[in-house]
Amino acid sequence: MFRSILIPTAVLLSLTTLFAQQEMPAELALKLNDKAEKLFPNNAKAQDKWLNEQNENYMLLPMLTAPAGNEEIFNKHIKPLAEKKFELDFTSKAKFIQDMTEGLMAIDAYKNVFGENTALFNKMKSDVLKSNPEDFKKAAKQFEEQSQMMIEIDSLPRNSLVDDTLFYGLKAAANKKFPNDFAKQKTYLENILNVFIQYEVLAVNTESNAEASAKEESETPQQVQANHQEILMNAQVFIRGENGDGIGIISEIKGKPVVIFPKSFYDANGMLIVNSVDEPVSYSDVLVAKNAPYAIAVVKSMPNGMKPIPMASTEELKKSIEKTAFLFLVQDNSINLRSNSVVSLKNNSLNLSRKLLSGTKQGTGLFLFDEKGNAQILGICITEEKDLAFPDFSNKTQTKHFSRGMQNKTEKVYVSRVDDNSGWQKIDQAKFAEEVALLKKISDNNNSFLSFFLVNNLKDLANLEVFNNITNKYSKIFKEEIQNEPSLEKNIKNMISETINIMGRDIRKVNISEISPVLKSEFEFQLKFRNAMIDSLKSVLKKNQFKRFDFEDIRKTR
């Protein structure tokens, strides 16, 4: 909802300039001059440009540090390899180290996919790095491909003959045959699972004549499909509001009609709920599930012909796994039937035999029809942003990588179970509007505070409201006072301490337990974001790494 990073223009323009860390030794400078003359004979302008780039990157190198958890490979492999490959070429050396570091961070971003299986993650990471010792970006691409295959394996279509125990056994056999090669494992498993599917088809086709003749003599498959479409169309609604458009479903709780929809759709200024021909559905209270990603609007009135579809209970969900059932996916602004089936139940979601189609809208329902043609809602599609791992924000390279990730956010789509009715919270519209405003303020301030770690000049923060006092105060101090090394460190330390204090002001009174379930996860992310920045600054103070914030315009005052 609020995760876009808006970096001020002055910040973006200054990202290419780097902190000075130390003067280049005279002997080294002479060697670079000699090399420049050999590279660009009789071209003083090209020589100067090359030497300036070398000097900037020489000063950058001490700032390049290992991503958390990668210190050993950074210090024992990346840095020595850079020294060996790029003698007297600090520009290539810095770029090489940055590229290798970004490769490591790209791999580590997949750590959450592996959950508690850190041994497998570490083994796969080690293998791809060993295969690409001089190109960790290539290693990251291979790791991504393998991880995607691993995810796709869990989504392979399988029928009721293959329960979880058998499937996990087959996966273990595939891994033993093709250790950590998920592409080959996927092909191997697909071939085996197809045998089970073909066997079941054969068994169905050889049912007794009596059973076969008893089935749907009066209705063709096209008629059955048309009946199903009509049932779903009479329950599907469309939701429009400031938080986007999506799909809801008319259902019922304790005999009362409700619209179930993803809670992220809720809009404090009001949602419009309509059927397929734009006739409105009137509603009163909106209640949010405390432990699930959906909400319900209590229906006051709805167009003629609309009929609720009940939500499956936990027991009914379990039964849907045991038999070969066909589930139908509602998509777009019409009902498109697409067969699917539940493979297993997760804590809050359903594992399906087929992947969701790209572009499936939030709120799209997953339905099961019984032999009499009655429908049940098994789940609804939910889209969530994937959280990024927070870097050491005092490391500019890591912070720039994080900022790019925030601007190019990725999403995950899954089907949420709808059987969790353990607790509902009625939305207080006025309180919700206040929470939305507070969340926006915290998010906007986070974007501003992130700039502190990206800019190269203190003046670049002057246009950001949260830094008005700091930039005015310390620009004056650094300009008017004589800055020797001790006084410089003291003033930078004071500036960082004041920044920490300002960062904590607007989040101190936030009680996450009182926040609406609609906004809770986004509040949690923004608070973690802020605290991660504060922790990075506290670490700078603890380790006396003040020169990381030796801004260029500060340096010029010395």
Side-chain angles (χ1 to χ4, degrees):
M1 187 184 292
F2 295 103
R3 299 195 191 181
S4 299
I5 294 292
L6 301 175
I7 306 299
T9 303
V11 178
L12 292 173
L13 291 174
S14 67
L15 288 178
T16 55
T17 314
L18 303 160
F19 294 126
Q21 296 298 308
Q22 56 188 357
E23 295 294 329
M24 183 182 291
E27 183 180 353
L28 181 55
L30 288 173
K31 288 181 179 179
L32 287 173
N33 282 329
D34 290 342
K35 186 172 181 178
E37 290 174 358
K38 290 178 182 178
L39 289 173
F40 310 101
N42 304 318
N43 190 338
K45 187 175 181 181
Q47 291 176 23
D48 287 344
K49 181 181 177 183
W50 186 83
L51 286 169
N52 285 335
E53 289 176 352
Q54 293 297 322
N55 188 54
E56 286 181 354
N57 284 285
Y58 173 81
M59 293 186 290
L60 168 65
L61 284 171
M63 294 293 298
L64 302 180
T65 57
N70 293 279
E71 290 78 10
E72 183 173 356
I73 195 168
F74 182 83
N75 293 318
K76 294 185 178 180
H77 176 72
I78 295 177
K79 288 176 67 176
L81 185 58
E83 292 289 340
K84 182 179 178 181
K85 285 173 66 73
F86 305 106
E87 186 178 2
L88 285 181
D89 186 351
F90 297 106
T91 301
S92 298
K93 193 179 297 184
K95 185 179 184 307
F96 176 79
I97 292 175
Q98 287 175 309
D99 286 346
M100 295 286 273
T101 300
E102 287 186 13
L104 289 174
M105 294 174 68
I107 291 173
D108 287 348
Y110 279 86
K111 192 175 291 185
N112 291 339
V113 173
F114 290 77
E116 297 180 357
N117 198 351
T118 54
L120 177 58
F121 171 80
N122 291 332
K123 177 68 167 62
M124 285 177 59
K125 178 179 178 180
S126 176
D127 287 346
V128 295
L129 295 182
K130 286 178 181 177
S131 299
N132 304 276
E134 296 189 15
D135 190 347
F136 283 3
K137 280 192 170 181
K138 183 178 178 182
K141 186 175 180 182
Q142 289 183 4
F143 190 93
E144 180 180 2
E145 291 170 353
Q146 288 285 328
S147 300
Q148 186 60 38
M149 286 294 176
M150 184 182 75
I151 294 169
E152 289 180 8
I153 283 174
D154 285 331
S155 300
L156 285 174
R158 51 191 172 107
N159 56 23
S160 59
L161 298 175
V162 183
D163 61 14
D164 284 350
T165 302
L166 177 55
F167 184 61
Y168 294 141
L170 292 172
K171 282 174 61 177
N175 186 55
K176 186 175 181 180
K177 190 173 182 66
F178 305 106
N180 299 323
D181 188 336
F182 292 102
K184 289 183 179 179
Q185 287 183 36
K186 182 187 175 188
T187 302
Y188 178 77
L189 284 167
E190 280 178 327
N191 292 335
I192 294 176
L193 293 172
N194 281 337
V195 172
F196 283 95
I197 293 171
Q198 291 166 11
Y199 176 84
E200 186 173 53
V201 170
L202 179 63
V204 170
N205 290 337
T206 56
E207 286 179 336
S208 68
N209 290 334
E211 284 183 301
S213 62
K215 290 182 178 179
E216 301 297 341
E217 282 291 332
S218 60
E219 288 187 316
T220 66
Q222 290 79 9
Q223 289 172 321
V224 172
Q225 180 169 313
N227 291 339
H228 289 167
Q229 286 181 332
E230 184 179 2
I231 290 170
L232 300 183
M233 187 66 78
N234 288 334
Q236 179 175 277
V237 295
F238 300 95
I239 298 174
R240 298 166 189 161
E242 289 185 1
N243 293 331
D245 298 345
I247 292 171
I249 305 163
I250 300 286
S251 186
E252 58 185 5
I253 293 179
K254 296 181 179 179
K256 294 183 178 180
V258 298
V259 176
I260 181 170
F261 61 95
K263 65 184 181 184
S264 60
F265 286 162
Y266 181 73
D267 181 358
N269 295 320
M271 306 176 298
L272 176 63
I273 303 178
V274 297
N275 66 2
S276 59
V277 291
D278 276 351
E279 295 175 318
V281 174
S282 174
Y283 62 94
S284 55
D285 294 336
V286 175
L287 296 93
V288 186
K290 292 182 179 179
N291 304 306
Y294 47 82
I296 55 171
V298 180
V299 174
K300 291 168 64 177
S301 65
M302 56 187 174
N304 291 333
M306 300 208 78
K307 186 177 179 181
I309 297 177
M311 292 179 271
S313 66
T314 303
E315 286 305 312
E316 287 167 334
L317 279 178
K318 290 177 181 177
K319 289 179 182 178
S320 74
I321 301 172
E322 296 170 359
K323 54 188 177 182
T324 304
F326 290 92
L327 295 89
F328 297 87
L329 195 62
V330 181
Q331 294 179 292
D332 303 323
N333 291 335
S334 62
I335 300 291
N336 296 311
L337 298 184
R338 179 177 169 81
S339 61
N340 213 318
S341 59
V342 175
V343 173
S344 61
L345 308 183
K346 284 187 177 179
N347 288 338
N348 64 348
S349 62
L350 304 174
N351 281 328
L352 304 180
S353 62
R354 302 174 69 183
K355 292 177 67 175
L356 295 175
L357 291 176
S358 176
T360 300
K361 286 191 174 182
Q362 271 215 87
T364 295
L366 200 58
F367 302 93
L368 175 66
F369 290 89
D370 63 19
E371 294 174 355
K372 297 180 180 179
N374 299 315
Q376 277 186 326
I377 307 171
L378 298 183
I380 60 172
C381 291
I382 300 293
T383 301
E384 293 179 352
E385 293 178 11
K386 292 182 179 178
D387 287 343
L388 294 172
F390 297 115
D392 172 4
F393 285 101
S394 68
N395 182 308
K396 184 172 289 189
T397 299
Q398 293 184 24
T399 303
K400 284 194 284 186
H401 185 82
F402 173 82
S403 176
R404 285 196 295 270
M406 289 287 285
Q407 294 176 69
N408 301 295
K409 58 189 178 183
T410 57
E411 295 179 331
K412 61 179 179 180
V413 183
Y414 66 96
V415 176
S416 169
R417 296 165 57 164
V418 292
D419 58 326
D420 186 353
N421 297 317
S422 58
W424 299 92
Q425 180 174 314
K426 181 180 174 181
I427 292 181
D428 180 326
Q429 197 160 344
K431 183 173 181 291
F432 185 82
E434 292 174 0
E435 290 176 351
V436 169
L438 175 59
L439 179 58
K440 185 178 186 306
K441 179 183 177 182
I442 291 172
S443 175
D444 290 345
N445 286 346
N446 277 347
N447 292 344
S448 296
F449 288 130
L450 184 64
S451 300
F452 187 75
F453 302 95
L454 293 171
V455 301
N456 296 307
N457 291 284
L458 187 60
K459 65 181 182 182
D460 294 334
L461 300 172
N463 293 328
L464 300 176
E465 184 179 351
V466 294
F467 286 112
N468 280 343
N469 292 337
I470 284 181
T471 52
N472 290 336
K473 176 180 178 180
Y474 284 94
S475 293
K476 185 176 180 181
I477 288 174
F478 288 121
K479 184 177 180 180
E480 295 180 357
E481 295 181 9
I482 296 174
Q483 300 296 315
N484 53 31
E485 202 65 26
S487 63
L488 177 72
E489 287 194 359
K490 176 188 131 183
N491 286 326
I492 292 177
K493 180 178 179 180
N494 290 340
M495 179 178 68
I496 292 173
S497 296
E498 289 187 34
T499 301
I500 291 173
N501 184 50
I502 291 172
M503 283 184 174
R505 285 179 185 171
D506 60 343
I507 64 173
R508 287 190 185 115
K509 294 183 179 180
V510 176
N511 185 345
I512 198 68
S513 65
E514 296 179 357
I515 297 296
S516 166
V518 176
L519 303 174
K520 189 173 182 179
S521 63
E522 186 64 26
F523 259 101
E524 288 175 339
F525 174 83
Q526 295 295 342
L527 293 177
K528 287 177 183 176
F529 185 4
R530 180 73 61 82
N531 286 317
M533 289 190 283
I534 291 173
D535 289 343
S536 291
L537 289 181
K538 286 181 177 178
S539 177
V540 166
L541 294 180
K542 185 176 180 181
K543 297 177 181 178
N544 294 323
Q545 295 173 327
F546 307 120
K547 286 192 175 181
R548 292 195 176 194
F549 298 95
D550 185 2
F551 295 113
E552 282 196 354
D553 46 358
I554 292 176
R555 197 184 315 135
K556 289 175 183 177
T557 63
R558 296 207 292 276

